[in-house]
Amino acid sequence: MEHFMLRRTISWFILVLPSLLLQYSLGQPRARVFTATDYMLFDSNDLLYFEVLRPKNISYIYKVRPAKDFGGKFEFESGIVNLVAADPLDACYSVNNGQALRRSIALVERGGCSFVSKTKTVESHGAIAVFISDRLQFDNGESLVDMVHDGTARDVRIPAGFMLGSDGYHIKRGIEEARMEAAVISLPLNITTSPHLYTRQPPWSYW
C-alpha cells in the first residue's frame, strides 16, 4: 500500500504540477482537473492489458503485471488466444487438463508453491503463457504483486503475469457459467493510444 501511495504522489507531481506552473505563467490561474484515466495512463507502461471476447458475461478489459525477473515477454504471433483455468488451480505439481492448456494461456491461482513452479508446470504442458491470480476467494482490488524468481536454478521461457484475485475469480466463474472450456481473449491492448478502454473495466474492480 505504501508503494501504491508513493506512485500516486509521484504521478501527481509529474502530471499536475507542470500544468499548474504553465497556467499561472500565462496568467490563467485555473488548474486542469485530472481524471482517473489520466492517473492510470501513468501506470500503463508497467502493465499488460487484455480483453475477454467470449464469454460475453465477462467481456471486459483486464490488467496483469508481468513477472519482474523470470519468463519471456508477452509477444504473440496472433492476438487472439484461449485462456484456460488449470486443474487443479494451483498447478504446483501437475495438471489434469494438460491438453487444453496446449497453445493457450493458463489461469492459475497463487499459493502452495512458487510462481516459477507454477509457470514451469503449465509450460511443460505446452501453455504459451500463464496468468497467476491472487487467491480467488479474496477480493483483491488494490494491488498487483511483483512476481520474482524463487532463487532456484530453474528457468522458464514462457511469459508470466500477475492479476487481481477478483478478476481471476470472475473469469473462472464466467467460463464455468457459460459452460465453455476456455475464455477467448485479445492481447495486448494499447491503453495509451486507446484511453476509452478504461470505461470497459470490470464492475467489481477499481483501477
Side-chain angles (χ1 to χ4, degrees):
M1 180 61 70
E2 292 180 358
H3 178 69
F4 177 82
M5 293 303 297
L6 178 59
R7 290 177 65 94
R8 286 291 173 267
T9 302
I10 294 174
S11 71
W12 188 93
F13 279 103
I14 292 177
L15 290 170
V16 179
L17 192 57
S19 177
L20 288 174
L21 293 175
L22 176 61
Q23 291 178 30
Y24 273 101
S25 68
L26 295 175
Q28 301 173 348
R30 293 184 60 187
R32 174 185 170 186
V33 177
F34 285 85
T35 66
T37 299
D38 293 314
Y39 288 107
M40 292 305 103
L41 287 175
F42 178 75
D43 287 334
S44 62
N45 290 335
D46 298 329
L47 304 175
L48 172 78
Y49 294 85
F50 69 93
E51 178 183 10
V52 171
L53 303 177
R54 297 190 302 275
K56 291 299 183 181
N57 59 343
I58 51 171
S59 183
Y60 300 107
I61 307 297
Y62 301 85
K63 61 182 179 179
V64 296
R65 184 182 299 281
K68 191 171 183 178
D69 60 359
F70 69 89
K73 295 183 179 181
F74 283 95
E75 298 174 345
F76 303 115
E77 295 180 1
S78 172
I80 308 297
V81 64
N82 284 346
L83 176 61
V84 180
D87 176 26
L89 204 53
D90 64 11
C92 281
Y93 306 105
S94 184
V95 293
N96 301 320
N97 61 337
Q99 187 62 35
L101 295 180
R102 183 172 176 79
R103 301 187 64 81
S104 299
I105 296 178
L107 174 61
V108 173
E109 182 184 74
R110 182 185 187 184
C113 60
S114 71
F115 296 128
V116 170
S117 293
K118 296 173 185 294
T119 307
K120 195 73 175 175
T121 296
V122 299
E123 181 182 51
S124 69
H125 289 280
I128 61 173
V130 60
F131 292 162
I132 302 175
S133 78
D134 216 332
R135 298 300 294 265
L136 299 187
Q137 63 265 41
F138 297 123
D139 186 8
N140 174 18
E142 292 187 355
S143 61
L144 291 167
V145 171
D146 279 322
M147 298 192 300
V148 297
H149 200 284
D150 59 10
T152 63
R154 298 174 300 170
D155 193 17
V156 290
R157 297 181 179 180
I158 65 172
F162 190 86
M163 66 187 304
L164 300 176
S166 55
D167 288 347
Y169 169 79
H170 284 283
I171 289 175
K172 181 177 183 295
R173 191 177 72 172
I175 294 172
E176 293 172 347
E177 290 178 348
R179 298 183 179 180
M180 296 174 62
E181 187 178 65
V184 180
I185 70 173
S186 174
L187 82 163
L189 297 178
N190 192 331
I191 296 295
T192 304
T193 59
S194 303
H196 66 278
L197 293 177
Y198 274 106
T199 64
R200 304 242 353 264
Q201 61 183 285
W204 53 82
S205 297
Y206 177 73
W207 293 0

